[in-house]
Structures are given as C-alpha cells and as structure tokens.
Amino acid sequence: IIFFILTVACTSTLWASGNLSDQQVQQIHEEGWLLLSQIHRDKSGLEKAIKLYRKAAAGSPTHRDVHWKLAEGLFKKAEATDNADDRKILYEEALSQSRKSLELNPDSIEAHFWIGSTSAKLAEMVGTFSAIGVINEATKELKLILEMDPNHRFSIIAGAALAAIYSQAPWPMRDLEDAEAYAIEAVKKDPNLSLACATLADVYFRREKFEQAQKEAERCLSLSSPSYIWDAELYNWPSARRVLKQIENR
C-alpha cells in the first residue's frame, strides 16, 4: 500500500512539473487504450481515458503522439454525445489537438487521420454549401494517408471512411462508384474491420445491389473477432442491421 501511494505521489509530481518521460507517456497511452477498448461495456472508461490523455498532453506537450491520442478520445466522446452543440465543441477540440500533433510530426499518419475524420464529422454538422470545403479537407487528408502507407492500420480505416464520405456527401461530391471501390479495398485488406463491411453493405444498398448488400451486412454481423469490437457493437453492427431492415422494407 505504501509503495502504491508513493508511486501515485511521484507520478502526480511529474505531471504537475510537466516532466513526463517517454516511458510514462507510453504507460498512459496503454492505460487509455485499454479503457477505450472496453467502452462498449463500460462507457465511463471514455472519460477516464480522456483524463489520462489530457494529463499526458499537459505533462509532455511536445511529445509527438500525445495530442493525436487526446484527439482520438475526444472524437469518440463526440460520437457518444447527443447534444449537437456539445458534440461540435468536442470535434473542434479534437481537430485542434490533431493539428498540434501534425505540427510536432508532419509525417504522422495518425494526425492526418484524425484531421480527416474529424473534418468529415464537422462537415456533417454544417450546411451543404459550407460542408463542401470541409469535406475537401477531409478527403485530402485521408487520401494522403493512403499514399504514405497503404497498409497502415489507420490507412485501412481511412479507406472505409472515404467510402462513407463519398456515399453520403452532398451533390456534386457524392460518388457511389468511388465509394464502392474504397470500401471493397478496405474489406479486402481487413475483412474483420466492421466499419468497412458495414459501409460496403450501405454502399451496395445505395447502388441498388440488394443481394450483395444483404450478403455483406450479414457477414458484418457474423464477425466473431472484429478488429475494433467497441466500434462494431456501438456503431457498425447497428448500421448493418439498418441496411438489412431497409432491404426488408424496400
């Protein structure tokens, strides 16, 4: 017990003095990731993870990874927030943190990913005309990731995100053919990525390829080991079920 108290006291002192080592930052990141990976079972872990990431950012503000990790937590909190104004504030902070990360490391695939993903979410919250410029920034960042390292885990997610953007964007940016191509490639690279298969099912439905849409939605729902179980349970499986319902009701 005494050792635990001393450890906590020393860690708190380091946080307060802004003197976190790389090892301590990594430990915080691992603890935060563990909390985020369980948010489908315990949503309180989301706030705990964000608190940890804020401490890392405050304790080591020039570390190349702390800001995009905080952005990831804020993004996930925004997704889980019902109030539109509060959600927008969270996305804007996530975007700001992502840009800070990019300033520290211009080659950060993670920073580019969260800039692109957060911009896409903000585009959904503004008017059609205003959204076009924001969508352009989102697609630019996500496509850049694919060029930097097409097999990086965030690149594969970026492909699925691009599919979602091009299938849902307002005219004249909507392009279901490109959306299908991006989704198929993402599924090919990671068949267990629930975002990719749920998006592909939705794109097939929008293209009136109902048999393929049903098959992909059912495959999505049958995944025994999705790459990101929390996203599957909270968002992607419900999306796949909606596609099946739409097919049933058409």
Side-chain angles (χ1 to χ4, degrees), residues 46-67:
L46 184 55
E47 285 292 345
K48 294 174 184 176
I50 290 173
K51 184 177 180 180
L52 282 172
Y53 292 150
R54 286 195 188 282
K55 287 178 177 179
S60 189
T62 59
H63 191 283
R64 59 193 292 161
D65 293 327
V66 295
H67 297 289

Side-chain angles (χ1 to χ4, degrees), residues 50 54 70-71 73-79 81-98 118-119 121-123 125-126:
I50 290 173
R54 286 195 188 282
L70 176 54
L74 293 166
F75 182 96
K76 291 185 181 299
K77 182 178 179 180
E79 284 188 302
T81 298
D82 294 327
N83 182 275
D85 291 335
D86 292 340
R87 191 163 65 249
K88 185 171 183 288
I89 290 171
L90 288 165
Y91 280 134
E92 287 174 343
E93 186 182 358
L95 183 59
S96 175
Q97 291 294 331
S98 300
T118 305
S119 296
K121 288 296 185 179
L122 286 169
M125 304 186 72
V126 299

Side-chain angles (χ1 to χ4, degrees), residues 13-203:
T13 301
L14 286 168
W15 279 335
S17 64
N19 186 29
L20 285 176
S21 68
D22 285 348
Q23 183 178 0
Q24 288 168 319
V25 170
Q26 182 61 32
Q27 181 181 351
I28 290 172
H29 286 176
E30 289 174 359
E31 291 175 6
W33 176 254
L34 181 61
L35 288 165
L36 289 180
S37 69
Q38 298 297 316
I39 58 175
H40 59 295
R41 295 174 180 167
D42 181 8
K43 291 187 178 180
S44 68
L46 184 55
E47 285 292 345
K48 294 174 184 176
I50 290 173
K51 184 177 180 180
L52 282 172
Y53 292 150
R54 286 195 188 282
K55 287 178 177 179
S60 189
T62 59
H63 191 283
R64 59 193 292 161
D65 293 327
V66 295
H67 297 289
W68 73 256
K69 292 297 296 184
L70 176 54
E72 180 177 29
L74 293 166
F75 182 96
K76 291 185 181 299
K77 182 178 179 180
E79 284 188 302
T81 298
D82 294 327
N83 182 275
D85 291 335
D86 292 340
R87 191 163 65 249
K88 185 171 183 288
I89 290 171
L90 288 165
Y91 280 134
E92 287 174 343
E93 186 182 358
L95 183 59
S96 175
Q97 291 294 331
S98 300
R99 286 178 170 155
K100 286 181 181 179
S101 183
L102 193 63
E103 289 175 6
L104 292 168
N105 180 17
D107 295 324
S108 172
I109 286 178
E110 296 87 353
H112 284 293
F113 175 83
W114 290 113
I115 290 173
S117 296
T118 305
S119 296
K121 288 296 185 179
L122 286 169
E124 294 177 4
M125 304 186 72
V126 299
T128 301
F129 181 78
S130 301
I132 292 176
V134 186
I135 293 173
N136 281 331
E137 180 179 13
T139 56
K140 177 184 175 182
E141 294 291 335
L142 295 172
K143 288 178 180 178
L144 178 59
I145 298 169
L146 295 177
E147 295 174 5
M148 293 171 70
D149 182 355
N151 294 315
H152 192 284
R153 75 177 183 93
F154 274 114
S155 296
I156 300 172
I157 303 172
L162 282 164
I165 291 171
Y166 280 120
S167 66
Q168 299 169 24
W171 185 89
M173 296 194 69
R174 181 173 299 182
D175 189 329
L176 292 178
E177 186 174 343
D178 276 359
E180 182 176 330
Y182 278 118
I184 287 174
E185 184 64 17
V187 168
K188 180 180 177 182
K189 289 183 174 180
D190 185 356
N192 291 316
L193 181 61
S194 56
L195 171 62
C197 55
T199 301
L200 181 57
D202 180 67
V203 172

